[in-house]
């Protein structure tokens, strides 16, 4: 024992009476950051302060708690962002919204894939491949359930007219924007500005074309190229968050085939339509609000002119889509 230690012990005698308490580390000086992508246990985060990109791992104190793309986190340790440096994520801020991917044969659990997004952008081509309304419907259910605002983005407008699809979603109050390669991006930019938007859509609809037009640097971002091509990946591909040059973030979700809707209840969905929810308070107990329900109040409301028939029909269409298996 060194002299100074002895001295210290003399100055501060041990208090044997003090009960043992679990020491809680104090992370007051931790930096806040956002998770932009995940690769084999390594989390790429950007610091809120200066936008610096830092690689981090989960701290042991988080236990089995998951960290997903879009999470707001607190990081400590080496936050220099230098090559080979590794910080630690010590805390995950409560999530405002969560989006789940579906359970499938590879993984039987509906896992959260993205946190804290406020908008779900459903990208569908007007042709090549042709739009599938049922798939858009299921994405809408996922958005409403997650507490996210949906936006339908119809691409390849040089190949087809958007009128039919627009007519299907207008009665639900869902916004639709129309784009094409090399076209004017003003509408979609306006819809994305200053928000956190998740992009979904199946292969070939022109999602990469759109991302590259919106974020000219996307192709130069190594993590984006990795995530989108899946190169160098062992397991499934992570979502990736990209900052928009005009404000806001888009989160691309390569490799997500469909959303988990197994947990969605009719009551969760109808909350997104307050006018319909109001009316259904008069439904008989256990009413499923489908067209075959004998005394659904939605039918009475259409009959007396309180609700537009198109709105009720469209709502019933997305309600029915909940129970259909329709992968990307
Ligand atoms: N005619 C037409 N073709 C387009 C348009 N946008 C994209 N394409 C073409 O559609 C094909 C698919 O586009 P991508 O951007 O790679 O589509 P993606 O959705 O990212 O598809 P994956 O990479 O498979 O996920 C490419 O050949 C594009 O050149 C468009 O507005 N009009
Ligand atoms: Zn009903």
């Amino acid at each position: 024992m060194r002299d100074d230690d002895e001295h210290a012990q003399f100055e501060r005698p041990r208090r044997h009476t003090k009960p043992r308490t679990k020491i809680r580390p104090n992370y007051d000086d931790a930096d806040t950051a956002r998770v932009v992508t995940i690769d084999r246990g390594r989390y790429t985060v950007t610091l809120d302060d200066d936008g610096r990109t830092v690689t981090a791992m989960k701290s042991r104190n988080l236990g089995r708690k998951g960290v997903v793309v879009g999470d707001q986190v607190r990081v400590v340790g080496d936050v220099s962002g230098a090559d080979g440096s590794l910080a630690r994520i010590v805390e995950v801020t409560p999530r405002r919204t969560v989006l789940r991917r579906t359970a499938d044969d590879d993984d039987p659990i509906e896992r959260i894939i993205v946190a804290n997004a406020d908008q779900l952008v459903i990208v569908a081509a007007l042709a090549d491949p042709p739009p599938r309304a049922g798939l858009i419907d299921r994405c809408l259910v996922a958005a409403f359930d997650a507490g996210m605002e949906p936006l339908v983005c119809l691409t390849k407008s040089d190949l087809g007219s958007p009128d039919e699809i627009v007519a299907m979603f207008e009665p639900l109050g869902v916004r639709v924007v129309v784009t094409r390669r090399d076209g004017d991006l003003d509408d979609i930019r306006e819809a994305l500005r200053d928000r956190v938007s998740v992009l979904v859509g199946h292969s070939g609809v022109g999602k990469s074309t759109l991302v590259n037009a919106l974020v000219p640097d996307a192709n130069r971002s190594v993590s984006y190229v990795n995530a989108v091509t899946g190169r160098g990946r062992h397991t499934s591909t992570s979502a990736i968050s990209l900052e928009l040059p005009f404000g806001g973030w888009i989160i691309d979700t390569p490799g997500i085939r469909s959303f988990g809707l197994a947990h969605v209840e009719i009551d969760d969905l109808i909350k997104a339509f307050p006018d319909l929810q109001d009316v259904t308070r008069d439904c008989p107990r256990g009413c499923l609000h489908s067209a075959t329900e004998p005394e659904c109040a939605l039918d009475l409301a259409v009959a007396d002119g309180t609700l537009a028939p198109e709105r009720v029909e469209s709502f019933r269409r997305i309600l029915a889509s909940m129970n259909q298996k329709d992968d990307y």
Side-chain angles (χ1 to χ4, degrees):
M1 196 179 267
R2 276 161 43 208
D3 276 346
D4 50 355
D5 280 351
E6 252 172 25
H7 183 70
Q9 224 167 22
F10 180 70
E11 293 276 308
R12 281 189 289 122
R14 281 216 177 141
R15 274 192 242 148
H16 294 286
T17 51
K18 196 178 171 194
R20 275 170 177 259
T21 54
K22 204 174 166 193
I23 295 167
R24 290 193 175 278
N26 181 356
Y27 295 128
D28 283 353
D29 58 346
D31 284 286
T32 59
R34 141 203 312 272
V35 177
V36 295
T37 194
I38 303 172
D39 186 8
R40 284 166 271 163
R42 290 288 182 267
Y43 300 79
T44 304
V45 307
T46 58
L47 300 191
D48 293 344
D49 244 10
D50 57 6
R52 196 185 320 158
T53 301
V54 172
T55 304
M57 59 184 283
K58 246 170 62 172
S59 162
R60 241 199 247 148
N61 75 317
L62 286 177
R64 290 155 64 91
K65 193 179 175 137
V67 175
V68 302
V69 171
D71 264 330
Q72 273 308 125
V73 294
R74 287 159 74 84
V75 288
V76 298
D78 187 349
V79 292
S80 65
D83 259 2
S85 68
L86 196 58
R88 276 182 303 129
I89 298 175
V90 291
E91 197 181 314
V92 181
T93 308
R95 296 167 177 152
R96 280 183 295 115
T97 64
V98 295
L99 191 63
R100 292 178 169 85
R101 74 151 193 51
T102 196
D104 58 26
D105 296 340
D106 297 334
D107 186 350
I109 297 167
E110 284 189 0
R111 292 190 196 279
I112 296 174
I113 42 170
V114 174
N116 300 326
D118 32 54
Q119 185 163 248
L120 185 70
V121 183
I122 304 152
V123 186
L126 286 163
D128 193 19
R132 282 158 60 191
L135 196 127
I136 302 176
D137 287 338
R138 287 178 55 82
C139 291
L140 288 179
V141 175
F144 291 129
D145 170 60
M148 296 165 64
E149 200 181 343
L151 173 72
V152 175
C153 175
L154 301 173
T155 61
K156 309 197 188 186
S157 64
D158 53 314
L159 301 181
S161 158
D163 297 350
E164 204 183 315
I165 301 282
V166 169
M168 287 181 79
F169 296 101
E170 213 162 42
L172 292 169
V174 172
R175 292 162 311 145
V176 180
V177 291
V178 180
T179 64
R180 68 180 153 81
R181 185 177 48 199
D182 305 325
D184 177 356
L185 291 173
D186 285 355
D187 288 349
I188 178 106
R189 273 205 197 103
E190 218 36 65
L192 300 178
R193 190 188 308 281
D194 296 334
R195 312 186 68 181
V196 180
S197 308
V198 181
L199 255 55
V200 295
H202 78 116
S203 188
V205 297
K207 204 151 58 91
S208 312
T209 303
L210 184 64
V211 169
N212 287 321
L214 292 166
V215 189
D217 289 339
N219 262 338
R220 262 173 274 149
S221 156
V222 175
S223 36
Y224 183 66
V225 173
N226 280 350
V228 170
T229 62
R231 238 179 279 141
R233 303 239 153 195
H234 295 313
T235 49
S236 62
T237 319
S238 162
I240 179 159
S241 188
L242 295 164
E243 191 161 16
L244 293 165
F246 46 86
W249 294 78
I250 46 173
I251 301 176
D252 198 1
T253 55
I256 307 295
R257 274 182 303 170
S258 61
F259 293 114
L261 303 181
H263 64 281
V264 183
E265 305 277 338
I266 294 175
D267 287 349
D268 298 333
L269 180 63
I270 207 161
K271 272 186 213 137
F273 306 93
D275 55 334
L276 304 191
Q277 191 183 24
D278 263 2
V279 164
T280 55
R281 289 187 218 287
D282 296 331
C283 283
R285 239 171 193 287
C287 181
L288 299 175
H289 317 312
S290 68
T292 53
E293 288 284 349
E295 285 172 89
C296 182
L298 292 176
D299 291 311
L300 304 177
V302 169
D304 72 15
T306 315
L307 289 174
E310 304 81 44
R311 186 160 169 88
V312 171
E313 260 168 50
S314 305
F315 170 72
R316 284 177 166 162
R317 193 188 69 228
I318 65 168
L319 196 62
S321 82
M322 257 166 60
N323 303 316
Q324 283 154 14
K325 273 234 170 284
D326 193 357
D327 276 3
Y328 276 21

